Amino acid sequence: MVTLICIMFLPSLYFICKWLGWLQDSPFPKPQVEDRKTISIPEPVYFTNGDRPADLESFQGNDKAKKIIKIILESCAKTGEPFPNILFQGNAGTGKTTLARLIAQYLKVHIIEITGSSIKSQMDFLMIINKIWDLQAAGYKCLLFIDELHGIVKGKDLNLDNWLPFFEEYRFYHSMKGKKFKVWENGKEVQYMFTDNIAAIKPLPIIGATTYPGLLDDAIRRRFRVIIPLEDYTLDDIQAIIQSYCKKHDILYNNDAVEYLASHSRANPSLAINNLKTCKDVMTWRNNNILGLWLAREAIEMLGLYEEGLRIDDIKVLQALAMQPKGMGLPNLAGATGVSRDTLEAIVSPYLQKLGFLIITHKRFITQDGLDYLNKINKLPKKRENMPFCANNIGQSVIML
């Protein structure tokens, strides 16, 4: 009897809640556009950092990539076709985020930046769609930039079947129907309920970026009409970026200092500019108005950087591997050095491998070049000096017993 009464009462309770405004009807129900004038939605801001290039012409390096982007932008402008989904592939610091922002600036749209690792569940993806819905409802055109696309976690409730159609249909198929969520509107918390298994938005350009293209499923790559590889910056590129910054900010310099700073910047424009700013601080402190080689060396020493831009974490890894001729697996290497696995995988290992100091298989091995580097900067462990090594079949010198 009690069960029957509950069944009869629940529909009435639902309509009462709906009438009171506690529940809404659509997956992302919002007030009408004319009622949203008091909601604070920022104007499109493409750059918060004045150190980044203002347009494609001032973007240093990757001329082939710039040419492809210019052709696509001009073609879309002439034909009126929407900008296609594109995917940037390249190491950290090659300008993926900067290029995405430049494209947004050219298209005059609001860019929404997220990282793949921030999407761990269906609710995470739905909140992103909700943000896009907000902007589109207020009359803004948007561009979605997903950095480290390979980092989207395949959780128990999130798989390719859920979010892959979003790249073509702009629909997200989820299993959240009947579940409630809360958002902030007009300074107060509002509760909504999903009443459908599909969340949709208006079409928009999607730009993806990845440092590990091999981790992307073929089905994901096919959703991007254009795939643009980005090459690492050369020493000349970094020097040109430093010189451009100096001219823009009226910093007098000599070429030796610029070359020295470039060689300690890991081929990364952001690091190069940060190092230059430290030099500027030292110049101010010493009341010196010229960036000379001795001043650049003093600044780099203050920052704790070694030749080739290596940091203490890099040195720890090389020293640990120097003491283990049979190599080390990632968990053991992280434990021995105190460097997190994420840092080892994303920052330390790729750069040491690029320099030829490291070989990566199922383990990490130091090369003879890596040993020579440690010896050159007087960081080679003394116990390692008499250990033998031999060349492996990869063609590089690997420490072995």
Side-chain angles (χ1 to χ4, degrees), residues 62-111:
N62 279 296
D63 292 335
K64 292 181 179 179
K66 286 194 297 184
K67 184 177 180 180
I68 295 172
I69 294 171
K70 287 179 182 178
I71 290 173
I72 296 173
L73 287 171
E74 292 179 10
S75 174
C76 291
K78 291 178 180 178
T79 62
E81 294 183 0
F83 190 81
N85 294 348
I86 65 173
L87 175 66
F88 292 128
Q89 297 179 173
N91 292 326
T94 50
K96 299 183 289 293
T97 300
T98 298
L99 287 172
R101 292 178 178 178
L102 288 173
I103 292 171
Q105 177 175 298
Y106 185 93
L107 296 174
K108 298 180 180 179
V109 298
H110 192 107
I111 184 169

Side-chain angles (χ1 to χ4, degrees), residues 14 17 22 49 76 87 141 192 266 270 272 280 285 350 354 359 377:
Y14 172 79
C17 293
W22 295 349
N49 186 349
C76 291
L87 175 66
K141 294 182 179 179
Y192 295 105
R266 301 172 77 100
S270 297
K280 190 178 178 182
W285 175 55
K354 176 184 173 183
I359 288 179
I377 63 172

Side-chain angles (χ1 to χ4, degrees), residues 263-264 266 304-312 314-315 318-319 351-352 355-357 366-380:
S263 66
H264 286 72
R266 301 172 77 100
L305 299 178
Y306 297 88
E307 291 186 24
E308 306 292 348
L310 266 64
R311 304 187 186 94
I312 188 63
D314 305 301
I315 302 301
L318 290 178
Q319 288 177 327
Y351 188 62
L352 293 179
L355 293 176
F357 295 167
I366 191 171
T367 66
Q368 183 60 42
D369 289 339
L371 284 176
D372 292 341
Y373 176 86
L374 287 178
N375 191 45
K376 182 179 179 181
I377 63 172
N378 296 318
K379 293 292 183 179
L380 182 65

Side-chain angles (χ1 to χ4, degrees), residues 1 39 43 74 98 145 155 162 180 188 253 318 383:
M1 188 66 178
I39 295 178
E43 292 293 331
E74 292 179 10
T98 298
F145 173 60
N162 294 126
K180 301 174 183 178
K188 64 179 181 180
Y253 63 91
L318 290 178
K383 294 181 180 180

Side-chain angles (χ1 to χ4, degrees), residues 288-304:
N288 194 315
N289 60 353
I290 299 178
L291 175 57
L293 179 59
W294 68 272
L295 194 145
R297 285 176 172 168
E298 182 178 6
I300 291 299
E301 185 177 350
M302 286 173 52
L303 292 171

